[in-house]
């Protein structure tokens, strides 16, 4: 749950920055959000979740 919430926050910030700085139109953001909600209900959703968790563990293991 924490990973998915932090992912949502990070992606939300990225969309906000694109909207403010790179000229992302509100309609593009809405279509992208709708695509994400529909994609979450498909059979590929567990693979996407596993890939996100794998990426998070990879990034979490990096020592600076």
């Amino acid at each position: 749950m924490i990973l998915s919430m932090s992912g949502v926050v990070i992606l939300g910030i990225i969309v906000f920055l694109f909207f403010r700085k790179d000229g992302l139109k509100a309609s593009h953001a809405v279509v992208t959000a709708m695509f994400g909600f529909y994609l979450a209900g498909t059979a590929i959703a567990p693979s996407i979740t596993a890939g996100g968790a794998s990426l998070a563990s990879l990034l979490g293991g990096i020592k600076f």
Side-chain angles (χ1 to χ4, degrees):
M1 182 67 179
I2 292 172
L3 177 64
S4 64
M5 286 304 295
S6 62
V8 167
V9 170
I10 289 171
L11 290 174
I13 290 170
I14 291 170
V15 168
F16 177 75
L17 290 175
F18 281 160
F19 183 72
R20 295 287 293 169
K21 300 204 181 263
D22 291 335
L24 178 71
K25 295 186 172 141
S27 61
H28 296 151
V30 169
V31 169
T32 304
M34 288 175 29
F35 175 70
F37 283 119
Y38 285 119
L39 187 63
T42 64
I44 198 170
S47 298
I48 294 171
T49 303
S54 175
L55 180 64
S57 67
L58 177 73
L59 293 176
I62 296 175
K63 303 280 192 253
F64 292 104

